[in-house]
Amino acid sequence: MDRGRVKTDKTGVRAAVQQTPLETPWGAPLVWGDTRNSAWRRAKFAQREIRTGLLAIVVGTYAKFIHRFLSSAETYFLPGKMVTYYILTDNPRSLDPPIQLGPGRQLKVIPVAELPGWNRLAHRRMDLLTEAIRNPIGSEVVYIFCADIDQEFMAPVGEEILGNLVATLHPELYGMPRNAFPYEIEESSSACVQEDEGDYYYTSELYGGLVSEMYKLSRACSLLILQDRANGVTARGLEESYLNRYLINNRPTCVLSPEYSWWDSALSADVPVQRLVSLGRQCEAEDKQKRKEHRC
């Protein structure tokens, strides 16, 4: 387990990625940003005045990522469109000095109690999202996307991502066989997935949709997490396990390719455009190198 991400032994199970699919088995678009389908989706929303929210939770040492995340979002996340950033944080001062925002862009800070430790945050994140959507998000934006703060936008992310319920394919598990997906298998857990269930494995680093759909998702996952905690059960993938359980029962209406949530993976040649990139492992490597140089 790495910061709530599930490590999978891919030896012998990595399947060759087939020709880029543009649709899921149930007919939802599978989005690659540079396709004609995505251009059509962007044109569809181009003339509509829609405000979209982008939410991230910033607690403890994750404050060091906030300026990089917001600066890159200003450049690449729905450029030229109306966006409200919602930052849930235990340290509002971490946003100083303030980021310069473009026209139609807003930043709202929502204070939360200190949540030391990644596991504790992972257990509370769905509950925090539910409360934030209830007030104030639900009355302020049409769509809301939830993203991990330790990421950087590296290429345009446009209106092709908009949909009623949007999920993103996990970058390490795309193209792999179903038996490699790290679904929860303990039947005592509310996140348990049976062997005959599941089409894809989704990452918890970027997902979203209409505020009404996201409220249903976050509330349902939050209740399942509370139920398991009351029974002394912890799902192997923390909140990502519950997210995948929900998305099996409620299939996404739009699925984003690994372009939209990228971290070190064997897929580099298959995913040439990396639009949203995780910085967590990169920063760990940099810190390790600095410690090594300091010892020298």
Side-chain angles (χ1 to χ4, degrees):
M1 194 80 70
D2 177 15
R3 270 189 68 253
R5 299 167 177 148
V6 179
K7 290 183 176 179
T8 304
D9 181 4
K10 294 179 286 300
T11 306
V13 296
R14 178 70 175 90
V17 176
Q18 299 177 350
Q19 247 184 347
T20 306
L22 300 178
E23 191 174 85
T24 68
W26 60 94
L30 204 167
V31 177
W32 302 83
D34 290 338
T35 63
R36 271 190 241 171
N37 284 8
S38 289
W40 177 83
R41 289 175 64 80
R42 286 190 289 271
K44 173 184 171 184
F45 288 99
Q47 304 305 318
R48 296 172 60 183
E49 293 293 318
I50 299 172
R51 180 167 290 278
T52 301
L54 180 61
L55 178 146
I57 299 174
V58 185
V59 295
T61 59
Y62 286 88
K64 66 184 178 183
F65 296 108
I66 193 165
H67 282 81
R68 196 166 175 178
F69 177 84
L70 288 173
S71 295
S72 66
E74 273 297 277
T75 301
Y76 292 119
F77 183 74
L78 295 175
K81 302 301 177 182
M82 297 189 297
V83 172
T84 299
Y85 303 109
Y86 295 97
I87 302 298
L88 281 61
T89 180
D90 59 355
N91 180 17
R93 292 183 179 178
S94 63
L95 283 94
D96 293 334
I99 298 287
Q100 179 102 25
L101 300 179
R105 319 282 275 202
Q106 302 174 352
L107 172 62
K108 296 199 172 183
V109 179
I110 302 175
V112 299
E114 185 178 357
L115 295 167
W118 176 254
N119 284 11
R120 188 174 173 191
L121 171 60
H123 281 125
R124 285 273 290 134
R125 186 153 72 163
M126 287 296 183
D127 187 47
L128 292 171
L129 177 57
T130 302
E131 291 302 315
I133 292 174
R134 183 182 291 132
N135 183 35
I137 294 173
S139 61
E140 296 180 345
V141 298
V142 177
Y143 296 95
I144 182 69
F145 284 82
C146 185
D148 279 4
I149 194 67
D150 58 340
Q151 299 182 98
E152 182 177 9
F153 290 92
M154 304 292 288
V157 174
E159 298 97 322
E160 72 273 8
I161 70 169
L162 300 181
N164 291 359
L165 182 60
V166 183
T168 306
L169 298 180
H170 196 292
E172 279 203 333
L173 297 165
Y174 172 67
M176 294 178 67
R178 160 66 180 77
N179 62 9
F181 296 169
Y183 290 133
E184 178 56 53
I185 58 174
E186 291 297 328
E187 294 196 359
S188 59
S189 173
S190 301
C192 181
V193 175
Q194 302 299 324
E195 289 184 3
D196 60 347
E197 294 183 299
D199 304 285
Y200 300 109
Y201 191 84
Y202 304 103
T203 178
S204 61
E205 300 202 354
L206 180 69
Y207 56 98
L210 292 171
V211 289
S212 58
E213 291 297 325
M214 281 291 283
Y215 181 78
K216 292 176 189 175
L217 179 154
S218 61
R219 180 166 168 73
C221 290
S222 179
L223 291 174
L224 293 179
I225 292 169
L226 287 173
Q227 180 178 313
D228 275 4
R229 292 191 71 188
N231 294 326
V233 176
T234 300
R236 66 187 296 195
L238 302 177
E239 96 268 18
E240 194 168 81
S241 292
Y242 300 94
L243 175 68
N244 275 274
R245 174 67 268 177
Y246 183 88
L247 293 172
I248 289 172
N249 294 344
N250 305 269
R251 282 172 162 169
T253 61
C254 177
V255 175
L256 305 182
S257 72
E259 291 181 346
Y260 295 88
S261 180
W262 186 258
W263 37 297
D264 292 340
S265 169
L267 278 173
S268 296
D270 301 308
V271 184
V273 180
Q274 298 158 16
R275 300 177 188 279
L276 180 59
V277 177
S278 173
L279 301 173
R281 291 186 175 184
Q282 175 185 329
C283 289
E284 287 170 11
E286 290 173 356
D287 290 344
K288 188 175 181 180
Q289 181 63 28
K290 285 179 182 177
R291 288 195 296 271
K292 183 178 178 181
E293 291 172 355
H294 179 71
R295 285 196 299 270
C296 293

